[in-house]
Amino acid sequence: MILHLAGVSLKKDGNWILKNIDWDINKGENWTLLGLNGAGKTAMLHMLCSYYFPTTGEVEVVDRKFGRDILGEQLRQQIGIVSSSLKQRMYGTDSAYQVVLSGAFASIGLYETPTDAMREKAQQILKDLDCFSYANRAYRTLSQGEQQRVLIGRALMNDPKLLILDEPTNGLDFIAREQLLTSIEQISSGESAPSIIYVTHHVEEILPTFNKTLLLKDGEVFQQGATNKMIQSEVLSAFFEIPVEVDWSEERPRLKKK
Ligand SMILES: Nc1ncnc2c1ncn2[C@@H]1O[C@H](COP(=O)(O)OP(=O)(O)OP(=O)(O)O)[C@@H](O)[C@H]1O
Ligand SMILES: [Mg+2]
């Protein structure tokens, strides 16, 4: 079991942001979390990383039950996350290599001396993700697409059981987007691949490897299940409340307004 949420709700500033969420992720599953702006996707991810504590319900992440006694730090070592808030918090003068290495300590910046094994691993990850040519460049000089790759590399340093990608293609042109998606597909096909939660509002980004989909609407689960059942014209027209048509070709969906 990678993730188990039962009856989870989250209240912030007097508003219910997440309402009665039941969600299980088993090993081998990769999920798309699809929802419009303000649906509660990022709040959900913050909760999974134990930055937010659920107001009601039960949360278990990578076999650890949330309780006041669980240290967020320990939990976060088992989860890799890439998000826009994390992207902005990196130190611009650190090299791409240093940013990836810092993932070993789940820290922003490097404060401890990495072992030789960590250094080798960071280099291998940079090679696998095609980042090696700019490994020594300052993070702030990298393009958005390059920064995203480096952050994914950082998230992989601890061999996480769960990799969370919150809109990783934001700001990328369509070529960089497809290249990043190809890398994500490769990560998911590795031998000890993590389960992935891929958060997006773009149906077009749903890769064949994302075999499950959760549709989140106004803080509630609208529907969840097999991706090919969720990403259908009828379901999504009801979800978006406008008539839309889904075209599936080469295992990738495309959305059109009717
Ligand atoms: N700490 C907070 N305090 C109060 N309200 C919050 C807090 N965090 C999120 N919200 C509100 O909860 C709702 C869901 O926000 P969230 O950021 O999770 O949406 P999202 O699905 O990630 O949207 P987007 O696609 O735009 O990133 C929004 O209305 C937001 O204003
Ligand atoms: Mg968000």
Side-chain angles (χ1 to χ4, degrees):
M1 193 275 304
I2 300 291
L3 180 84
H4 170 69
L5 304 191
V8 168
S9 301
L10 179 71
K11 195 179 190 177
K12 286 272 168 205
D13 291 347
N15 296 318
W16 290 99
I17 297 175
L18 297 174
K19 298 167 222 164
N20 200 24
I21 309 270
D22 294 325
W23 188 16
D24 284 300
I25 299 185
N26 296 302
K27 216 165 173 287
E29 291 177 351
N30 295 310
W31 282 75
T32 303
L33 177 57
L34 189 73
L36 293 176
N37 293 125
K41 303 181 296 297
T42 300
M44 172 97 93
L45 302 186
H46 282 162
M47 201 179 62
L48 301 186
C49 296
S50 73
Y51 291 115
Y52 292 161
F53 197 80
T55 313
T56 69
E58 207 174 86
V59 179
E60 279 179 61
V61 181
V62 205
D63 292 330
R64 307 190 81 148
K65 201 175 233 160
F66 271 32
R68 300 277 169 197
D69 53 329
I70 285 230
L71 285 176
E73 289 293 312
Q74 285 173 1
L75 183 80
R76 286 194 282 275
Q77 297 259 357
Q78 311 222 25
I79 300 178
I81 183 159
V82 176
S83 68
S84 58
S85 63
L86 199 64
K87 191 173 175 186
Q88 287 158 10
R89 283 168 62 210
M90 294 297 134
Y91 298 132
T93 51
D94 280 357
S95 68
Y97 172 57
Q98 286 171 313
V99 170
V100 173
L101 261 178
S102 70
F105 308 101
S107 59
I108 310 284
L110 267 178
Y111 305 95
E112 293 168 65
T113 310
T115 63
D116 287 345
M118 288 173 186
R119 290 177 198 277
E120 273 166 35
K121 186 164 185 185
Q123 288 174 24
Q124 190 58 50
I125 286 175
L126 284 159
K127 282 180 192 154
D128 291 346
L129 289 172
D130 287 329
C131 306
F132 204 66
S133 60
Y134 46 86
N136 292 318
R137 291 244 315 272
Y139 176 77
R140 69 176 148 75
T141 70
L142 303 177
S143 76
Q144 304 234 33
E146 290 164 347
Q147 287 185 350
Q148 286 296 23
R149 280 174 182 276
V150 168
L151 288 180
I152 291 176
R154 177 182 179 276
L156 291 174
M157 263 309 277
N158 276 335
D159 295 322
K161 299 226 171 63
L162 180 63
L163 176 64
I164 298 176
L165 304 171
D166 191 3
E167 302 185 37
T169 61
N170 264 3
L172 304 199
D173 64 48
F174 86 102
I175 295 171
R177 180 182 89 162
E178 287 305 314
Q179 285 169 341
L180 192 75
L181 290 172
T182 302
S183 294
I184 292 168
E185 186 93 52
Q186 278 163 3
I187 290 166
S188 78
S189 65
E191 234 174 69
S192 51
S195 281
I196 298 177
I197 300 178
Y198 187 91
V199 179
T200 186
H201 10 236
H202 301 300
V203 168
E204 290 72 17
E205 293 177 5
I206 300 179
L207 295 168
T209 189
F210 304 145
N211 42 10
K212 296 281 191 126
T213 294
L214 187 145
L215 303 175
L216 190 69
K217 184 173 183 175
D218 299 330
E220 288 181 88
V221 177
F222 179 76
Q223 269 193 49
Q224 58 175 313
T227 296
N228 57 4
K229 299 253 160 55
M230 298 299 105
I231 308 303
Q232 290 292 349
S233 306
E234 206 175 301
V235 178
L236 291 189
S237 295
F239 181 58
F240 292 126
E241 295 179 30
I242 51 161
V244 291
E245 207 173 285
V246 181
D247 275 346
W248 279 90
S249 75
E250 291 171 18
E251 291 190 274
R252 292 272 298 269
R254 212 169 287 275
L255 192 66
K256 280 192 304 195
K257 213 165 143 240
K258 256 200 209 156

